[in-house]
Amino acid sequence: MNCRSEVLEVSVEGRQIDEAMLALVHTILLHRSTGKFHYKKEGTYSIGTVGTQDIDCDFIDFSFVRVSSDELDRVIRKAVGDFKDAMGNGTDGMGQISLEFYQKKKSRWPFSDECIPWEVWSIKVHVVNLANEQERQICREKVGEKLGEKVINIVEVINRHEYLPKMPTQSEVDNVFDTSLKDVQPYLYKITFQITDTLGTSVSTTMRRLIKDTLAL
Amino acid sequence: MAAHFDTEYQRLEASYSDSPPGEENLLVHIPDGNKSPWHHIENLDLFFQRVYNLHQKNGFTCMLLGEVFELVQLLFVVGFTVFLANCVDYDILFANKLVNHTDSSKVTLPDAFLPMDVCSAHIRDNVAVMFVLVISGVFWLHRLIKFLYNVCCYWEIRSFYTNALKISMAELPYFTWQEVQARIVEIQKEHQICIHKKELTELDIYHRILRFKNYMVAMVNKSLLPVRFRPPLLGEIVFYTRGLKYNFELIFFWGPGSLFKSEWSLKPEYKRGGNRLELAEKLASRILWIGIANLVLCPVILVWQILYAFFSYTEVIKREPGSLGARCWSLYGRCYLRHFNELDHELMSRLSKGYKASSKYMNCFLSPLLTVVAKNVAFFAGSLLAVLIALTIYDEDVLAVEHVLSSITLLGVCITICRSFIPDKHLVYCPEQLLRVILAHIHYMPDHWQGNAHRYETRDQFSQLFQYKAVFILEELISPVVTPFILIFSLRRKSLEIIDFFRNFTVEVVGVGDTCSFAQMDVRQHGHPAWMSEGKTEASIYQQAEDGKTELSLMHFAITNPQWNPPTETTHFISQLKERVHREATGDAHTHTLTSLSESEPRSLIANFLTGPPSLASLHLGRHGSMTNHEPIGNSDGASALRSLSVNSMRGSYSSTHRSAGHTSSANRAMVGSGTDARTASSGSSAWEGQLTSLVLSEYASTEMSIHALYIHELHKQQSQGELSRHTWHRQDSDDSSDSVTEDRGAGGGNPSSRNPIPRSHTFPVSTPTSTPAPVSNSGPPPDRGATPGQEEAPVQTNSQHRCWANTVSVGSEGRGVRSARGPMGGWAEDGNQGRHPYTVPEEGSEDDTPPNIHKVT
């Protein structure tokens, strides 16, 4: 658990899910991305630029800034789309999307490489059902305000001087940054989601723990 | 967001151009890289545990060798036993059958061995032997895999020691844990092994290493675990074995479906009070299943247990030199006597120091009847033996007569056993003082032992903590049979209480995760008013740690970790206590002030145990090896040692260099009595100086702790004299607070006022503390506490480092209610408690412990 965890909670209408999620995830990623590194011979590097782009939402009175990288956007959109599909349409529900930043650590032979998270953002979503158009209108504004607050929240958290992985050398850059995109370079991240509060951990983790514990001295 | 920006930044008009990347006028960065692999370790709990283990096992090579030998040993033991049972022809060995040798009449050892094929047929035919062989094969493989896995893990820890901590494996045995810990704290600043904070504290490390142990200690302290039983005929017994402990840990901490999600966090649903009944039911059914599994696997576990007992037994001997004697500290005793946040080696050294006094104490209670019998048996056996030996000396052919050698051996054994029942004529036992000395080391004891040290009840209860080793092994062996029943019938009934316990006493600490709130050692939340924290505590009876555990643990931790910076309130408590002890020491050892006007101050307490009983100070300071100088030091010496210590540690200069210098001087000052030691301490070479100082320091720390423990107990005794004590020897389980308990209490004295008139036995010279001043708080109205209205407010944790989630966040307002005194659920039903004085509760087992709703789940 040697990692920070931040929890954001929003309640939105069914059709606002993906925009709200996109807004939050993109905001976090905007602050957790750098330009591409260009390593030079003497072990130094320079950082490329990152473009930004304003996005207006259709169902929420809100616009947010994201990294202008279509590739990144596509990946995020896909994850959020999956999440929305899993949530189902129009029903009351709870779901949680987590954005986890991690770094890889090379291990010696018998063990596989470890992915060690250092920051986890959990966004909890309540889906509400609204009866009529007037309520929808109010919701549209309120969700916009709420998202604004969350964005400020995120920026505050990110502004704190807290642990970040150290800037890597050329050989290690893959352990810290996601270098697969060609115009931007976010910290390694992972997006997972979970629909209801599933009780208990999965069987595999329990088994792993059991084995590990019997092996421990 | 801000609508407009009024900053002073202006756009540069002329030279602004968006140059493409790769140009030379760009900013150039230098990567700092990850030179050390020790930043941001994923599982810090495990990591610190391994660091601690490696330190305790004296380095990598020692550990490796030890493990290899254990593996070989196991193979040897199993193989040899099977060989002896199946492959030896005993008839030949006993000469019942003749061997037809041609060349000579001598029987050789190989003659007695059965041929290979007969032997293996024997083994294959015997189902039991095969069963044992298969199980031990699995056991051995398990250990082998474990060993290989550990080698890989500990290799990493080894490189952590050498590269990050800069301690080579050869030097490691000469480092104390405190030094290692100081280095870890130091490198956190550089490597950030924990990413939550810039700096680690000692307490964080302890919390991580001892997370589950603290829970266990707290559960034993609050009598939550079913370890006391009252079977017919046997009286009250404590049954707590390794198997039981393993099962408890499996159920609570790491087994499938346990309460903990991972090593560091409790599952969120257990933090909420809402569905506690469902959770309790779930837990109950889980316990049932584990119990049944235990029952089914009983024979396997039994064999496993025997193998395991054999090996851990050798390990115990290695770890604990005192265990070579006839007695050992029971597993329950270790839990009962353990402070919160006390590492294994600290506990072990403490208990080992108390070992001698404890066995002496137990030896006081030789039955006179047995003594008479033993004397006579020894007489007859001795005369027979003497005759046989005399005859042998005269003519050694006597030995050749059948059974003469064996009868000589048997008679010898018989005499040895008898001798152990005959007390030494030239020893005078003072049980009361011995118990004091024991208390100085073990730090905990129930109130009613004091003044009753000579009674059999006390002895019996003490023997629950300090049992015969034979009993220990026996218990271990029957444990596989008994454990399932305990789980199914006793533990299952407690499931609701357990759920409540984990909910109420878990706090989330930033950078550590979920820990037992008792382990925070916050006097305010868990202090007990009868134990020095009067007026400071806001805990309800349910929240108070028993036996002054919070207070004593706090003192112990502060003394063993002088660099630890406790939160302000705690600092206040510590310094106040130290000051009091210090004042006592100086005031009384030198000037012998009479009872002063301030009645509330228990004057001359220190004098009591430093000067009062003859040579107690030297007993506990000198003879039991708690000081480096082994000559008994005089009273004033002890007092001055104490004074210099407490003055020094109160000074509050925490920078490490300053500290070591200060303590060297204090050590010097205190050790003037034995000049040589002082000289070595001061004139040692620079390389050794630090180590020596820290060793001396730890000795002094334990002495200081002993004095503080005695002081706190003495104070507690005076405070509770004349009042009805709510304190009883081990809070009873809710269900067996039957009439027999009360009867026992009446006789044994859970209740000091009824205890006092008990006529003291004439056989033991009982030392009544003669110089004790008149009990000060005897008649005065007991201070009002506990039921103050201020308690209704949920305790606000002022400590900035800790966020108390259970209190404020996840449980919400409901949890607030639970944590504050009058919890509606869980805890003890305390309705109508407002006006009731806590001291007037004679038995909390009967009234406090059992709210009606707890009985719903059976």
Side-chain angles (χ1 to χ4, degrees):
Chain A
M1 91 114 195
N2 202 358
C3 86
R4 292 189 294 271
S5 66
E6 307 288 341
V7 181
L8 305 169
E9 284 187 55
V10 286
S11 31
V12 294
E13 212 194 338
R15 56 187 181 153
Q16 294 168 332
I17 293 178
D18 43 1
E19 280 182 343
M21 292 302 102
L22 275 180
L24 295 177
V25 173
H26 264 308
T27 309
I28 298 168
L29 274 173
L30 171 70
H31 297 284
R32 290 278 180 242
S33 303
T34 63
K36 296 290 278 186
F37 284 4
H38 301 279
Y39 283 94
K40 304 204 170 133
K41 276 178 228 95
E42 313 88 64
T44 59
Y45 63 93
S46 60
I47 304 178
T49 51
V50 182
T52 55
Q53 197 176 348
D54 279 13
I55 304 291
D56 297 323
C57 300
D58 294 331
F59 299 107
I60 313 173
D61 276 348
F62 188 65
S63 41
F64 60 91
V65 186
R66 71 165 170 85
V67 175
S68 68
S69 158
D70 290 335
E71 271 180 282
L72 184 66
D73 188 45
R74 220 173 299 135
V75 177
I76 307 282
R77 260 180 210 283
K78 183 164 180 311
V80 170
D82 289 347
F83 173 65
K84 196 188 177 188
D85 291 343
M87 287 285 285
N89 285 331
T91 48
D92 282 311
M94 275 264 295
Q96 174 176 324
I97 229 174
S98 14
L99 174 60
E100 179 182 305
F101 292 99
Y102 63 95
Q103 53 183 332
K104 281 193 224 160
K105 209 174 236 184
K106 290 258 185 307
S107 323
R108 233 178 305 283
W109 158 73
F111 309 104
S112 53
D113 280 3
E114 293 172 282
C115 296
I116 305 175
W118 49 272
E119 189 174 64
V120 178
W121 295 84
S122 318
I123 308 170
K124 288 188 175 160
V125 191
H126 304 253
V127 179
V128 290
N129 264 331
L130 297 177
N132 52 39
E133 194 52 42
Q134 195 193 352
E135 279 184 18
R136 285 206 184 106
Q137 211 53 45
I138 296 170
C139 177
R140 200 183 147 92
E141 282 171 27
K142 273 179 74 181
V143 170
E145 275 170 33
K146 263 267 159 349
L147 286 181
E149 275 172 32
K150 297 293 170 205
V151 167
I152 292 174
N153 222 334
I154 291 169
V155 174
E156 269 171 6
V157 169
I158 283 175
N159 259 342
R160 283 187 218 139
H161 277 286
E162 279 183 306
Y163 175 84
L164 284 179
K166 298 221 173 91
M167 286 304 150
T169 52
Q170 187 159 18
S171 55
E172 288 170 336
V173 71
D174 283 333
N175 292 344
V176 177
F177 288 105
D178 180 1
T179 48
S180 59
L181 308 173
K182 65 176 187 300
D183 43 4
V184 68
Q185 182 177 281
Y187 283 102
L188 281 173
Y189 67 94
K190 200 159 46 179
I191 298 179
T192 52
F193 55 83
Q194 133 185 50
I195 297 308
T196 42
D197 268 341
T198 41
L199 281 177
T201 45
S202 66
V203 182
S204 67
T205 46
T206 316
M207 280 315 290
R208 219 171 46 220
R209 269 186 66 72
L210 206 64
I211 292 169
K212 259 196 170 171
D213 276 314
T214 43
L215 288 181
L217 199 67
Chain B
M1 302 203 34
H4 58 91
F5 301 96
D6 39 8
T7 64
E8 291 171 8
Y9 290 105
Q10 303 271 313
R11 186 178 163 145
L12 278 177
E13 299 298 335
S15 65
Y16 185 77
S17 66
D18 197 6
S19 55
E23 295 297 304
E24 53 279 357
N25 60 350
L26 270 184
L27 211 54
V28 170
H29 305 261
I30 298 170
D32 24 27
N34 286 326
K35 288 194 190 65
S36 87
W38 305 116
H39 68 109
H40 184 206
I41 286 154
E42 188 185 17
N43 193 340
L44 270 179
D45 279 40
L46 213 56
F47 184 75
F48 284 147
Q49 274 165 23
R50 284 180 182 152
V51 169
Y52 178 68
N53 275 339
L54 197 65
H55 174 259
Q56 288 306 301
K57 304 224 160 149
N58 299 322
F60 190 73
T61 328
C62 285
M63 207 184 82
L64 199 73
L65 262 179
E67 298 241 322
V68 169
F69 278 127
E70 268 183 26
L71 280 173
V72 175
Q73 238 178 11
L74 180 63
L75 269 190
F76 174 77
V77 168
V78 173
F80 194 55
T81 320
V82 171
F83 173 79
L84 282 185
N86 291 291
C87 302
V88 176
D89 193 346
Y90 288 96
D91 280 341
I92 292 180
L93 219 53
F94 298 148
N96 294 342
K97 200 165 80 181
L98 283 180
V99 201
N100 39 353
H101 270 301
T102 46
D103 45 347
S104 77
S105 61
K106 289 249 195 248
V107 181
T108 55
L109 266 184
D111 290 336
F113 299 157
L114 292 175
M116 221 23 190
D117 47 335
V118 183
C119 186
S120 55
H122 260 256
I123 293 172
R124 239 175 283 136
D125 292 344
N126 198 337
V127 183
V129 173
M130 281 309 280
F131 179 71
V132 170
L133 272 183
V134 167
I135 297 216
S136 36
V138 173
F139 185 74
W140 193 79
L141 271 183
H142 167 246
R143 285 190 71 113
L144 181 71
I145 297 171
K146 194 168 155 174
F147 166 71
L148 292 177
Y149 178 78
N150 277 325
V151 167
C152 295
C153 294
Y154 280 91
W155 183 259
E156 220 162 294
I157 303 296
R158 180 186 175 276
S159 54
F160 175 72
Y161 267 109
T162 43
N163 300 333
L165 296 184
K166 307 265 184 292
I167 300 175
S168 75
M169 281 297 116
E171 292 170 354
L172 185 60
Y174 310 107
F175 275 80
T176 63
W177 171 248
Q178 255 60 33
E179 288 168 313
V180 173
Q181 194 174 260
R183 294 205 181 190
I184 295 176
V185 171
E186 200 57 41
I187 67 151
Q188 157 73 7
K189 290 172 193 153
E190 177 187 344
H191 295 276
Q192 276 221 314
I193 43 182
C194 171
I195 66 164
H196 287 276
K197 322 172 157 185
K198 284 268 178 306
E199 289 182 27
L200 275 175
T201 66
E202 287 84 357
L203 192 59
D204 291 341
I205 299 177
Y206 271 72
H207 271 163
R208 281 185 183 274
I209 297 177
L210 295 169
R211 193 187 302 269
F212 295 148
K213 287 203 172 123
N214 280 331
Y215 271 110
M216 293 302 268
V217 170
M219 279 196 275
V220 167
N221 185 257
K222 296 302 282 183
S223 308
L224 190 64
L225 294 180
V227 290
R228 326 196 123 250
F229 302 96
R230 192 166 270 286
L233 299 177
L234 288 175
E236 195 189 48
I237 56 159
V238 168
F239 188 84
Y240 187 49
T241 58
R242 230 179 290 220
L244 202 55
K245 187 176 154 208
Y246 181 84
N247 272 295
F248 286 157
E249 284 168 356
L250 180 94
I251 289 166
F252 300 141
F253 302 129
W254 56 267
S258 65
L259 308 183
F260 276 75
K261 189 166 61 182
S262 51
E263 264 151 80
W264 47 81
S265 64
L266 195 64
K267 283 181 188 160
E269 63 260 31
Y270 289 96
K271 291 183 188 170
R272 288 190 289 266
N275 45 356
R276 56 196 275 274
L277 291 175
E278 291 163 41
L279 291 175
E281 240 160 83
K282 221 178 89 186
L283 181 67
S285 72
R286 224 163 60 76
I287 293 172
L288 178 66
W289 282 113
I290 289 180
I292 290 174
N294 261 293
L295 203 58
V296 171
L297 296 177
C298 182
V300 180
I301 299 174
L302 195 66
V303 175
W304 192 284
Q305 189 76 54
I306 292 169
L307 288 172
Y308 194 83
F310 181 83
F311 281 98
S312 36
Y313 190 48
T314 52
E315 205 205 15
V316 163
I317 289 178
K318 266 183 282 171
R319 253 188 329 190
E320 186 191 5
S323 68
L324 283 167
R327 286 180 176 270
C328 63
W329 296 98
S330 70
L331 209 56
Y332 170 75
R334 283 179 208 184
C335 251
Y336 174 74
L337 299 175
R338 193 175 194 140
H339 292 293
F340 294 121
N341 299 316
E342 183 174 33
L343 289 169
D344 289 342
H345 73 277
E346 293 163 355
L347 178 72
M348 276 308 144
S349 73
R350 199 153 68 81
L351 292 186
S352 303
K353 277 175 193 164
Y355 185 87
K356 224 172 170 178
S358 303
S359 42
K360 231 181 197 172
Y361 174 73
M362 292 311 267
N363 286 339
C364 295
F365 293 89
L366 291 174
S367 142
L369 190 75
L370 265 180
T371 309
V372 173
V373 174
K375 268 184 184 161
N376 285 292
V377 171
F379 170 73
F380 291 115
S383 27
L384 278 180
L385 185 66
V387 170
L388 282 178
I389 290 176
L391 284 177
T392 314
I393 291 170
Y394 180 70
D395 188 347
E396 63 185 11
D397 279 343
V398 178
L399 281 179
V401 178
E402 202 178 29
H403 294 316
V404 164
L405 195 61
S406 38
S407 31
I408 287 180
T409 322
L410 279 181
L411 286 173
V413 170
C414 178
I415 289 171
T416 321
I417 293 174
C418 286
R419 282 236 317 254
S420 71
F421 288 107
I422 304 171
D424 192 340
K425 218 182 270 178
H426 309 290
L427 269 185
V428 178
Y429 288 122
C430 310
E432 202 70 46
Q433 277 176 38
L434 274 174
L435 209 57
R436 269 281 185 74
V437 176
I438 296 169
L439 178 64
H441 294 299
I442 66 174
H443 300 171
Y444 292 102
M445 90 174 30
D447 292 347
H448 62 268
W449 285 8
Q450 290 206 344
N452 278 334
H454 56 287
R455 296 182 66 86
Y456 254 86
E457 290 87 355
T458 311
R459 186 211 101 105
D460 286 345
Q461 287 171 355
F462 186 64
S463 75
Q464 292 171 351
L465 308 179
F466 192 62
Q467 61 189 169
Y468 276 117
K469 180 147 304 151
V471 175
F472 172 75
I473 294 170
L474 191 74
E475 279 184 358
E476 285 296 325
L477 291 184
I478 60 168
S479 141
V481 185
V482 180
T483 303
F485 295 102
I486 293 178
L487 291 181
I488 294 174
F489 295 111
S490 291
L491 186 68
R492 204 152 60 93
R493 227 178 298 160
K494 298 222 165 195
S495 57
L496 188 61
E497 285 170 67
I498 291 167
I499 296 281
D500 286 335
F501 178 88
F502 276 95
R503 191 185 60 249
N504 290 333
F505 297 122
T506 296
V507 287
E508 187 175 325
V509 181
V510 173
V512 181
D514 290 337
T515 51
C516 183
S517 63
F518 285 108
Q520 295 286 315
M521 303 181 294
D522 189 348
V523 172
R524 195 158 119 173
Q525 287 208 7
H526 295 297
H528 194 303
W531 291 90
M532 298 281 305
S533 44
E534 179 107 48
K536 296 185 192 75
T537 173
E538 292 173 0
S540 66
I541 293 179
Y542 179 54
Q543 288 168 331
Q544 288 160 4
E546 308 296 332
D547 308 310
K549 198 136 208 159
T550 316
E551 291 80 4
L552 281 163
S553 300
L554 179 62
M555 278 322 288
H556 179 261
F557 192 80
I559 287 173
T560 42
N561 296 284
Q563 276 151 309
W564 177 55
N565 261 332
T568 37
E569 255 176 79
T570 314
T571 322
H572 184 66
F573 176 83
I574 296 171
S575 58
Q576 201 183 358
L577 178 58
K578 277 191 176 170
E579 197 182 347
R580 275 169 94 166
V581 174
H582 166 221
R583 204 165 52 222
E584 295 291 328
T586 48
D588 290 299
H590 289 284
T591 57
H592 281 277
T593 49
L594 298 168
T595 37
S596 68
L597 289 174
S598 61
E599 289 275 281
S600 61
E601 284 289 344
R603 279 279 159 193
S604 74
L605 284 181
I606 300 281
N608 227 356
F609 57 73
L610 283 182
T611 63
S615 77
L616 178 71
S618 58
L619 243 186
H620 115 253
L621 293 176
R623 217 188 318 162
H624 288 273
S626 63
M627 305 279 276
T628 38
N629 47 345
H630 287 278
E631 343 167 348
I633 37 171
N635 303 328
S636 54
D637 275 346
S640 68
L642 172 71
R643 188 181 57 230
S644 59
L645 267 174
S646 38
V647 165
N648 221 296
S649 40
M650 269 196 321
R651 203 168 285 156
S653 54
Y654 285 120
S655 75
S656 65
T657 49
H658 204 104
R659 169 184 146 264
S660 69
H663 276 284
T664 319
S665 71
S666 92
N668 288 347
R669 245 185 298 153
M671 291 187 349
V672 174
S674 63
T676 48
D677 282 353
R679 242 175 288 131
T680 42
S682 58
S683 66
S685 67
S686 59
W688 282 89
E689 183 140 18
Q691 259 155 36
L692 197 71
T693 326
S694 89
L695 278 178
V696 169
L697 244 188
S698 75
E699 293 301 331
Y700 270 91
S702 85
T703 311
E704 198 187 350
M705 184 58 212
S706 298
I707 292 173
H708 277 94
L710 284 176
Y711 179 80
I712 292 175
H713 271 275
E714 193 70 26
L715 197 66
H716 171 69
K717 189 175 132 202
Q718 294 209 349
Q719 215 174 48
S720 58
Q721 243 168 22
E723 295 170 7
L724 269 177
S725 169
R726 68 177 276 261
H727 196 88
T728 51
W729 162 238
H730 301 297
R731 283 67 49 198
Q732 295 300 312
D733 299 341
S734 51
D735 34 70
D736 54 23
S737 57
S738 53
D739 42 353
S740 57
V741 180
T742 37
E743 216 177 83
D744 195 43
R745 286 279 167 59
N751 165 342
S753 68
S754 76
R755 179 181 78 204
N756 284 339
I758 289 173
R760 297 183 189 259
S761 146
H762 295 291
T763 39
F764 297 115
V766 178
S767 84
T768 38
T770 44
S771 57
T772 315
V776 280
S777 54
N778 201 350
S779 55
D784 191 22
R785 56 112 227 160
T788 49
Q791 209 174 16
E792 295 292 339
E793 307 160 11
V796 183
Q797 216 163 3
T798 46
N799 185 358
S800 60
Q801 300 172 331
H802 303 142
R803 268 189 289 169
C804 185
W805 283 104
N807 202 358
T808 54
V809 180
S810 56
V811 187
S813 57
E814 192 180 42
R816 215 164 248 270
V818 173
R819 288 189 62 87
S820 70
R822 319 274 161 240
M825 27 182 228
W828 292 317
E830 291 173 68
D831 29 343
N833 196 11
Q834 291 281 354
R836 193 178 68 185
H837 196 277
Y839 279 131
T840 58
V841 184
E843 249 187 65
E844 85 198 22
S846 53
E847 321 175 27
D848 282 344
D849 206 330
T850 54
N853 51 5
I854 280 182
H855 281 304
K856 275 182 201 156
V857 175
T858 48

